[in-house]
Amino acid sequence: MDVTKKLVRNITKGIQEKKGYGIVIVDLTKVEGAICRYFVICQGNSPQQVEAITDSITEFVRKKSGDKPAHVVGLTLAHWVAMDYTDVMVHVFLPETREFYNIEGLWEDAKLTKVPDLD
């Protein structure tokens, strides 16, 4: 399996571990000039849950592949946390912040894959 796709899978599992939902994987591999290969976008219901999801992703990916994010920004308010794994950017939002910025809509040329929410 491609290393980047495995990273996306591990990020998704880290999100699901803390009940993150609304997961969308944005495939940017065919988008010229894209800043990375994939976006993984999700949300949590509170700043505390956004922070817990971020921590879970970091820990899950570290344990499974040894990778660490190059940068993590937005933890101060935890309305929108961005995690940079170089080939994959992770965005963890509060619902109203996600709706306002609608970053899925910015990449109309990209393939979007919605991951079903866990119960």
Side-chain angles (χ1 to χ4, degrees):
M1 174 183 279
D2 176 72
V3 173
T4 305
K5 287 183 180 179
K6 188 175 182 181
L7 176 60
V8 168
R9 190 180 78 221
N10 287 331
I11 289 167
T12 301
K13 288 181 179 182
I15 294 166
Q16 292 171 326
E17 182 75 21
K18 293 298 179 182
K19 308 289 189 231
Y21 63 97
I23 302 170
V24 175
I25 299 167
V26 182
D27 182 344
L28 300 168
T29 57
K30 294 183 173 51
V31 177
E32 192 174 323
I35 61 172
C36 60
R37 295 179 66 194
Y38 293 91
F39 275 0
V40 179
I41 304 165
C42 71
Q43 61 193 48
N45 287 321
S46 67
Q48 294 81 10
Q49 187 182 16
V50 167
E51 187 173 343
I53 292 167
T54 303
D55 291 344
S56 178
I57 294 166
T58 301
E59 190 65 18
F60 201 90
V61 170
R62 186 188 60 75
K63 283 182 179 176
K64 293 294 182 180
S65 64
D67 291 326
K68 296 178 184 176
H71 301 286
V72 177
V73 295
L75 280 172
T76 304
L77 296 176
H79 292 198
W80 174 5
V81 176
M83 306 174 74
D84 181 357
Y85 280 95
T86 308
D87 283 341
V88 181
M89 289 289 299
V90 183
H91 301 274
V92 186
F93 286 100
L94 288 178
E96 57 275 7
T97 307
R98 182 177 186 176
E99 184 178 332
F100 180 80
Y101 287 102
N102 186 28
I103 63 172
E104 293 101 320
L106 297 175
W107 301 98
E108 61 186 37
D109 296 342
K111 177 184 173 194
L112 302 180
T113 303
K114 295 182 180 183
V115 177
D117 293 335
L118 298 180
D119 291 333

